[in-house]
Amino acid sequence: MEGICKDIAGVRILDEVSLTVRAGERRAVIGPNGAGKTSLFRIIAGEMPPTRGRVFFMGEEVTRQPAYQRACKGMARTFQQTAVFSELTVLENVMLACQQRRHPLLGLLQAVHRDRATRHAAEQVLEDWALSRWAGRPARELPYGIQRRLELAMAFARRPQLLLLDEPTAGLAAADVEELVQRIAAIPRTVTVVFIDHNMKTVFSAADRITVMHHGQVLAEGMPAEIRENPAIQEAYLGVGGVARAVGG
């Protein structure tokens, strides 16, 4: 992203934000509520156009391309609230994700059920994400932590080049957070992961680099150790000594 600005109703939400993420990187984006993190994600994913600036993906400018075109190029995204098909079974949810990867113009469930290759691929995803025992259950009946895992499995089933995770641990119990972090860590480095999270233990354990946003601008960027010791971040975001407490230091 180069010089991204976003104005809404005369208010500048993002102000000259530039961001470069290397292939295979795990990048965390943190900051207080209202810092512009989710707006940044929406612009990356193509859900909202910038007022000014440019977005590039895999060396190609995609600034004016809509979300579905970016998805076809290899972007996948999860949301703060789970986005699964609640009336469909776990297997059917993942089959639809696999079908979209194989045939982007076909998504009807009837067609999916006739595709043995799609079913086999979905069953493998369920096994990889420890969801096989839930395969026949409607998604609405799943515990919340399992729904979050299903959403990640659906995103991963499309074999994305870039995975955008918006608050993946929000609302999870401590044990579910630990398990989800381990599963994210196990995602192969062929997939670039950019995530927003308020859980500092998650951020400092999972990220290669951290971008800190404040009032729509990038306040700081660096490796976890650099961010932990940055006095400006301690004052503006976490409070003096807050980083050390958040990560158990």
Side-chain angles (χ1 to χ4, degrees):
M1 309 182 77
E2 292 183 353
I4 293 293
C5 296
K6 182 62 182 179
D7 300 332
I8 299 178
V11 177
R12 178 143 293 187
I13 305 300
L14 295 171
D15 188 10
E16 297 291 343
V17 174
S18 294
L19 181 69
T20 300
V21 179
R22 299 187 304 272
E25 187 178 329
R26 273 63 177 135
R27 174 69 66 92
V29 179
I30 66 172
N33 291 332
K37 304 182 300 296
T38 296
S39 295
L40 187 77
F41 260 39
R42 294 188 66 196
I43 289 174
I44 294 172
E47 298 161 7
M48 182 171 71
T51 302
R52 190 171 71 242
R54 299 193 296 170
V55 181
F56 296 85
F57 179 55
M58 305 293 290
E60 176 187 357
E61 184 172 358
V62 296
T63 309
R64 301 302 168 189
Q65 291 184 4
Y68 75 89
Q69 288 186 357
R70 300 188 200 192
C72 290
K73 293 178 185 296
M75 287 192 191
R77 161 140 154 63
T78 67
F79 297 84
Q80 291 182 21
Q81 302 296 323
T82 52
V84 299
F85 297 101
S86 61
E87 299 302 314
L88 301 184
T89 67
V90 169
L91 177 60
E92 288 170 341
N93 269 278
V94 177
M95 286 177 70
L96 282 174
C98 290
Q99 179 79 353
Q100 198 281 333
R101 182 190 77 215
R102 298 180 65 240
H103 307 292
L105 299 180
L106 299 177
L108 296 176
L109 191 60
Q110 186 177 9
V112 170
H113 277 298
R114 293 197 298 264
D115 191 333
R116 292 183 180 180
T118 295
R119 184 184 184 93
H120 177 74
E123 289 173 342
Q124 184 61 56
V125 171
L126 293 185
E127 183 176 341
D128 292 343
W129 287 81
L131 289 167
S132 297
R133 59 173 289 203
W134 307 92
R137 294 277 293 275
R140 68 176 184 276
E141 297 180 3
L142 301 178
Y144 183 70
I146 303 299
Q147 287 190 27
R148 298 295 280 182
R149 194 194 308 171
L150 171 60
E151 186 182 28
L152 269 171
M154 291 172 64
F156 189 69
R158 294 177 44 225
R159 296 182 183 173
Q161 305 254 7
L162 172 63
L163 187 55
L164 301 168
L165 307 178
D166 195 349
E167 298 279 4
T169 65
L172 296 182
D176 290 332
V177 169
E178 189 68 29
E179 181 180 3
L180 194 65
V181 169
Q182 291 176 3
R183 293 193 176 279
I184 292 173
I187 293 174
R189 289 280 173 163
T190 53
V191 181
T192 304
V193 180
V194 181
F195 67 98
I196 298 169
D197 212 299
H198 285 288
N199 186 319
M200 289 298 98
K201 186 169 289 187
T202 298
V203 168
F204 281 92
S205 63
D208 298 327
R209 293 182 65 83
I210 300 170
T211 298
V212 184
M213 296 190 64
H214 192 59
H215 295 313
Q217 296 180 316
V218 173
L219 177 64
E221 187 174 284
M223 298 177 67
E226 296 172 316
I227 298 301
R228 185 184 294 114
E229 300 302 326
N230 189 312
I233 296 168
Q234 294 181 4
E235 180 178 353
Y237 178 38
L238 291 160
V240 176
V243 177
R245 289 195 299 272
V247 297

